[in-house]
Amino acid sequence: VDLLRVTGTAKGGRITREDVVAYVKFVLSGATTPASGGLGFDLPPQPKVNFSRYGEIDVQPLKKIQKVSGAYLHRNWVSIPHVTQNDLADTTDIEAYRKAVAADKGIKLTPLVFLIKASVAALKKFPTFNSSLDETRENLVMKNYFHIGIAVDTPDGLVVPVIRDCDKKDIFELATELSELSQKARDGKLKPIEMQGGCFSISSLGGIGGTSFTPIINAPEVAILGVSRSRVEPVWDGENFQPRTMLPLCLSYDHRVIDGANGARFTRYLAACLEDFEGMDD
Ligand code: CAO
């Protein structure tokens, strides 16, 4: 077995005996073949380049989190057929509500907590999005719980803590937990269990900017919601242009499990939940 082809699941990406056995079973199942010319990604090796020949350089080792998460991101990107569905949600009413809550109660809510609630509502309406392919790839494991992973940018790299049972928490509880978990993530104090068991992930770059992007699915989940920065746009209401706050949604889904029509339906439903957030039924 060429160990370069085996993904290690132990601490620090180390390859265990079980990883090798699983790899051999996978190849023997005929799911793919490492043979040249097949789909085994028999690519030329990364070239060794002496960059200092062209100018001054510094070499910085990758951080531990980058090395571990990089291997998984790479695996997920090449092994899952991603499709990204884009839509816009009108969050004008949410913005007004956020401002009112901040003024009345002094509590700061970001759009993310509403996105968590809307995601739970959409996962309930479209249960296939709350599933995982099992290791045989012949069964879907449907989940009756709603744990949402949130991508958090830390000085050491990307981590995804999981907020459990989001269906049982209101937006204020979610805001408190989100702030505690993201602080723990930035302090490097998350325990492994706090990053496990997610059903669906949200990657919000709205606090930074951008109009859309393609988030990478966090396997074994089958979909992830990317969120870009909302902005006020003129929206035609049939008679006039109205200034409305529009939030860009970018849903990547696993096309082996979810077809395009349901990808569009899920995203539209999620947007509709945000547009009518007070009537949101989760
Ligand atoms: N549109 C417009 N404004 C937004 C917004 C959006 N979609 N999302 C957040 N904002 C605003 C917030 O309201 C806040 O504004 P104020 O300070 O004026 O109230 C500001 O942007 C900063 O928000 P935040 O980023 O601190 O908070 P959050 O709850 O939106 O996100 C967290 C929390 C932890 C997810 C975020 O800090 C983070 O780490 N994001 C990066 C995630 C990431 O790296 N994803 C990529 C993964 S793939 O490589």
Side-chain angles (χ1 to χ4, degrees):
V1 170
D2 177 358
L3 291 182
L4 286 176
R5 296 183 189 279
V6 181
T7 304
T9 56
K11 197 176 170 198
R14 288 183 179 82
I15 295 169
T16 64
R17 182 187 164 80
E18 288 71 34
D19 293 332
V20 177
V21 171
Y23 174 79
V24 170
K25 276 191 188 155
F26 176 65
V27 171
L28 291 179
S29 74
T32 186
T33 162
S36 174
L39 296 179
F41 297 103
D42 195 13
L43 301 170
Q46 188 78 19
K48 187 169 187 287
V49 179
N50 180 0
F51 295 98
S52 62
R53 282 178 60 199
Y54 311 110
E56 200 177 305
I57 59 163
D58 279 323
V59 177
Q60 295 179 350
L62 286 182
K63 303 214 166 91
K64 193 174 149 204
I65 291 181
Q66 288 179 306
K67 282 200 233 171
V68 175
S69 65
Y72 289 116
L73 285 167
H74 189 190
R75 178 198 63 192
N76 296 346
W77 182 245
V78 298
S79 67
I80 301 173
H82 283 65
V83 178
T84 303
Q85 172 74 22
N86 294 289
D87 207 335
L88 289 170
D90 184 335
T91 54
T92 312
D93 293 348
I94 285 183
E95 288 308 302
Y97 179 77
R98 288 199 316 122
K99 280 190 192 124
V101 168
D104 288 357
K105 302 190 182 166
I107 299 174
K108 188 180 146 183
L109 297 171
T110 63
L112 195 46
V113 287
F114 299 90
L115 285 153
I116 296 172
K117 287 310 267 182
S119 298
V120 171
L123 291 171
K124 286 191 171 174
K125 175 97 176 156
F126 300 94
T128 315
F129 286 77
N130 196 16
S131 74
S132 287
L133 272 175
D134 73 5
E135 64 292 347
T136 66
R137 299 187 192 176
E138 288 182 7
N139 304 298
L140 272 188
V141 180
M142 311 296 292
K143 296 161 203 165
N144 297 323
Y145 51 85
F146 299 89
H147 304 338
I148 308 285
I150 305 293
V152 178
D153 180 35
T154 80
D156 291 330
L158 172 73
V159 288
V160 188
V162 173
I163 304 184
R164 289 181 197 277
D165 298 314
C166 293
D167 54 324
K168 300 189 179 115
K169 294 173 182 164
D170 66 22
I171 47 174
F172 300 103
E173 290 169 308
L174 290 172
T176 307
E177 202 167 329
L178 175 65
S179 136
E180 286 166 2
L181 275 177
S182 49
Q183 192 53 51
K184 254 180 151 178
R186 291 189 175 119
D187 294 342
K189 290 190 177 148
L190 282 177
K191 297 188 190 109
I193 188 71
E194 290 174 303
M195 293 180 276
Q196 292 164 4
C199 304
F200 178 83
S201 295
I202 303 179
S203 174
S204 173
L205 294 175
I208 302 169
T211 55
S212 76
F213 65 104
T214 305
I216 300 179
I217 295 164
N218 189 12
E221 296 165 22
V222 295
I224 178 169
L225 178 68
V227 185
S228 292
R229 191 166 185 79
S230 62
R231 63 177 185 187
V232 178
E233 292 180 9
V235 176
W236 184 249
D237 69 2
E239 289 177 1
N240 294 299
F241 281 106
Q242 301 292 348
R244 308 292 298 178
T245 304
M246 304 305 286
L247 178 71
L249 306 174
C250 324
L251 179 92
S252 289
Y253 57 88
D254 183 338
H255 211 342
R256 295 171 301 180
V257 178
I258 294 155
D259 62 24
N262 275 340
R265 284 188 193 107
F266 181 94
T267 319
R268 186 80 300 276
Y269 185 79
L270 202 150
C273 289
L274 293 167
E275 286 159 7
D276 177 26
F277 74 98
E278 284 180 276
M280 201 186 315
D281 177 24
D282 69 357

